[in-house]
Amino acid sequence: MQEAVPGAPIISARELRVRYGEREILHGLDFDINHGETVVILGGSGSGKSTLLRTIVGLEKPHSGEILVKGTDLGKASKGEIADIRKKMGLAFQGGALIGSLNVGENIALPLLEHSSLAPSTVDVMVRIKLEQVGLSGFQTFHPSALSGGMKKRAAFARALALDPEMLFFDEPSAGLDPIMAAGIDNLILNLKAAYSITMVIVTHEMASAFLIADRIMVVDKGHIIANEPPQTLKDSTHPRVRQFLDRVPDSAADDSLVDHLSLYVEGTR
Amino acid sequence: MKSETAESSVMGVLVRVGGATEGVLAYVGGLAQMTGRALLLLFVSPLKRSRGLQRAIHQAMAAGVSAIPIVSLIAYFIGLIMALQGAYELNKLGAMNMVPALVGVSVTRELGPLLTAIVVIGRSGSAFAAEIGTMRVTEELDALSTMALDPLAFLVAPKFIAMAIMVPCLAITADLMGVLGGCTFGVLGGGFTAAGYFINTRNNLVLSDVMTGVVKSFVFGVIITAVGCQEGFSTGAGAEEVGRSTTSAVVVSILLVILVDVVFTALFYMTGGLT
């Protein structure tokens, strides 16, 4: 693994194309994410934003182009190289993805036990610290099934933080949460940003939260990046699709088109 | 024209047979590959062995120890049934003293290992597929990957250790319980004393009878684990898919176990038992 040049972006994509079978999801993306930056990937359902996140963490292989993380091309890296990079990453999944057979404490201890030589007592202390950070102290012995959606998400954050990663990724951190809980999650991200110089990539479709936490917002639409700028300037964007997204305008105001959408939806549910 | 369609339909059949054969070979290849990788992991990651061992013990408790009552009960009744059925015919020949041999040999060589395998498929093979399939659906497998943990090392290797040890143990338990079932008939309806029945059984058994059963059970254990885990990993999205993987884990395991049983039994027959 080559060492990244100081000042070089920690994550960068060049002409990145990703396919599921024959269907291309990402159509040649180019972007850079710098050290310590908080980047929000904003986009509608089916825009390819989750696929982009999965590609950055190496769960999907690019079909062509490259995705460089800390100077290593994930498309060509060996299993060992990818594992080394992943030890510097933390990913909080949308549904938490806590291991159901382990309790919350064991879930957070898992990466620590597997990837460090810390004594069990130290690991225990670390687990307590991480749980306190996300406001879940005292829930160590609970099983994931006994937690609410918001608590699962926060426990997943704690697990993502366990190895003190350089890069943190969040998939829809506030989706499906009530406004109070969602605000709590935003606060948590802001606190992390203030306390550490972690690079954070957050995938979301919640605009308020995106504008609050982002240093830079990338808007993904139909597999293309249509905007990549700080929130201050994005607000005044004139790009029609970005405006549509910001102003919450449906795809087409015409009634018959809405009917088409509905019939498509009904067909889809069959 | 007619010969052309006949030709194309023959070709169609050939293509389908070829495709199906290729599919089966790919599946078996996948099983072998996973088994090989899991075994390799057991030897190359000594640092993680202690925690792997812990997980293996946990699996051994779930798949092995808690199966003892049901395996014992079924084996007991199968032994009893064998004795009843055997006595029905042997009694006509005045050969009631052959019942212990009949029960002993058929249970240790065949029925004990086979019914143990079937019970374990129902309890554990299906559970493996459901567990791993659910983890696929809830992104837990992805979570393991992003934590740089190999799902094979974390989930599959401990199951292989547990099953390779516990299924033969269960088969031996089944052997004992089957003989006990035969003994129950022997004492109640065959005019044996309990001690006499066991001595008679012992005199008619050789070590290779038990050993062939144990060797088969070991292979069954490996197959059940491989199929259960493979089906789990190949689960698509959604709860329905978990059900599908669980079903095919059970069906495929039973089929493969029977096939392997045939092969091994034929081998043992041709080589004159385990020498």
Side-chain angles (χ1 to χ4, degrees):
Chain A
M1 187 172 65
Q2 71 208 68
E3 246 341 283
V5 193
I10 191 163
I11 299 164
S12 56
R14 293 289 167 266
E15 261 304 299
L16 178 68
R17 289 173 189 274
V18 178
R19 286 184 179 186
Y20 286 139
E22 282 299 296
R23 202 158 55 98
E24 190 169 271
I25 309 292
L26 302 177
H27 313 294
L29 305 188
D30 286 280
F31 61 86
D32 290 314
I33 294 170
N34 297 316
H35 276 276
E37 218 181 359
T38 302
V39 173
V40 169
I41 301 175
L42 198 63
S45 317
S47 59
K49 58 186 195 301
S50 292
T51 306
L52 178 55
L53 185 72
R54 289 175 66 84
T55 312
I56 296 176
V57 299
L59 287 172
E60 307 292 341
K61 290 265 179 212
H63 176 257
S64 69
E66 50 185 23
I67 172 83
L68 296 163
V69 178
K70 288 182 73 68
T72 306
D73 187 353
L74 292 185
K76 299 188 184 81
S78 70
K79 268 192 153 185
E81 284 174 324
I82 291 184
D84 282 338
I85 290 175
R86 279 176 170 165
K87 286 174 198 167
K88 298 180 182 122
M89 289 178 168
L91 170 56
F93 283 84
Q94 186 170 359
L98 300 166
I99 308 301
S101 55
L102 305 176
N103 68 30
V104 171
E106 288 164 342
N107 259 291
I108 296 159
L110 185 63
L112 290 167
L113 288 171
E114 296 286 337
H115 295 315
S116 71
S117 47
L118 296 173
S121 56
T122 320
V123 170
D124 196 51
V125 174
M126 300 270 287
V127 169
R128 278 168 206 276
I129 293 173
K130 300 296 171 194
L131 277 176
E132 205 174 303
Q133 255 179 334
V134 298
L136 275 182
S137 27
F139 284 93
Q140 246 149 314
T141 54
F142 281 59
H143 269 269
S145 53
L147 299 183
S148 73
M151 288 161 125
K152 273 185 207 163
K153 278 189 186 221
R154 283 189 283 164
F157 284 12
R159 186 176 66 181
L161 285 169
L163 285 173
D164 292 322
E166 283 177 50
M167 293 163 271
L168 257 179
F169 302 95
F170 299 100
D171 191 6
E172 303 275 6
S174 41
L177 298 183
D178 65 71
I180 298 170
M181 191 73 86
I185 299 266
D186 287 348
N187 259 337
L188 189 66
I189 293 174
L190 286 172
N191 287 341
L192 287 174
K193 199 170 147 178
Y196 310 93
S197 63
I198 318 180
T199 311
M200 287 196 270
V201 177
I202 299 133
V203 162
T204 187
H205 58 256
E206 305 271 333
M207 233 122 42
S209 128
F211 279 96
L212 186 68
I213 56 186
D215 292 331
R216 190 150 57 88
I217 297 180
M218 289 203 291
V219 184
V220 179
D221 184 48
K222 295 174 184 153
H224 295 280
I225 293 178
I226 55 170
N228 185 0
E229 48 194 303
Q232 298 80 7
T233 59
L234 185 75
K235 267 183 193 146
D236 309 319
S237 171
T238 51
H239 190 292
R241 283 292 286 178
V242 176
R243 276 271 48 103
Q244 197 186 348
F245 204 87
L246 295 182
D247 302 338
R248 298 190 59 171
V249 182
D251 257 345
S252 168
D255 281 357
D256 52 341
S257 149
L258 184 65
V259 170
D260 278 353
H261 270 96
L262 277 175
S263 63
L264 269 179
Y265 172 75
V266 170
E267 248 170 57
T269 54
R270 269 191 201 139
Chain B
M1 194 66 199
K2 205 172 186 183
S3 71
E4 225 169 76
T5 51
E7 200 173 276
S8 69
S9 77
V10 168
M11 276 307 287
V13 169
L14 284 179
V15 165
R16 255 180 292 162
V17 169
T21 313
E22 202 186 328
V24 168
L25 288 179
Y27 187 89
V28 174
L31 290 183
Q33 198 185 13
M34 188 173 62
T35 311
R37 281 182 58 201
L39 289 181
L40 193 67
L41 282 168
L42 291 180
F43 293 104
V44 295
S45 54
L47 280 175
K48 287 157 191 167
R49 206 169 273 167
S50 63
R51 269 187 304 281
L53 195 65
Q54 245 174 31
R55 286 182 202 120
I57 290 170
H58 176 80
Q59 291 291 338
M61 290 300 287
V65 177
S66 18
I68 291 175
I70 183 71
V71 166
S72 300
L73 192 69
I74 293 177
Y76 176 83
F77 285 120
I78 291 284
L80 184 58
I81 291 167
M82 281 300 298
L84 284 164
Q85 297 280 32
Y88 171 74
E89 202 61 21
L90 289 171
N91 203 16
K92 291 181 194 165
L93 305 170
M96 276 299 263
N97 62 337
M98 293 301 286
V99 169
L102 174 77
V103 174
V105 171
S106 51
V107 165
T108 53
R109 288 187 74 98
E110 189 53 56
L111 292 173
L114 187 62
L115 75 88
T116 302
I118 306 254
V119 171
V120 170
I121 288 168
R123 291 185 80 255
S124 308
S126 57
F128 294 165
E131 180 194 340
I132 296 177
T134 309
M135 291 182 77
R136 160 80 66 213
V137 171
T138 57
E139 294 186 303
E140 285 172 52
L141 291 181
D142 289 338
L144 283 176
S145 297
T146 53
M147 285 190 279
L149 297 176
D150 186 349
L152 270 180
F154 185 79
L155 292 169
V156 178
K159 290 183 169 60
F160 269 111
I161 308 180
M163 293 283 277
I165 296 172
M166 291 318 280
V167 178
C169 292
L170 282 172
I172 292 173
T173 312
D175 292 349
L176 288 173
M177 292 306 289
V179 170
L180 195 65
C183 178
T184 308
F185 166 79
V187 170
L188 296 178
F192 287 93
T193 62
Y197 186 94
F198 278 109
I199 290 166
N200 193 330
T201 303
R202 218 206 62 165
N203 290 341
N204 283 293
L205 282 182
V206 285
L207 185 63
S208 71
D209 290 333
V210 179
M211 284 314 290
T212 53
V214 169
V215 169
K216 281 199 283 190
S217 313
F218 171 82
V219 180
F220 293 165
V222 171
I223 290 175
I224 296 166
T225 318
V227 174
C229 295
Q230 167 104 330
E231 289 296 335
F233 281 118
S234 65
T235 303
E240 202 179 322
E241 281 290 305
V242 177
R244 189 208 54 80
S245 334
T246 312
T247 308
S248 53
V250 171
V251 173
V252 174
S253 297
I254 291 180
L255 181 69
L256 280 181
V257 158
I258 302 272
L259 282 179
V260 166
D261 196 3
V262 171
V263 172
F264 269 73
T265 311
L267 277 178
F268 290 143
Y269 176 78
M270 284 188 286
T271 57
L274 201 72
T275 42

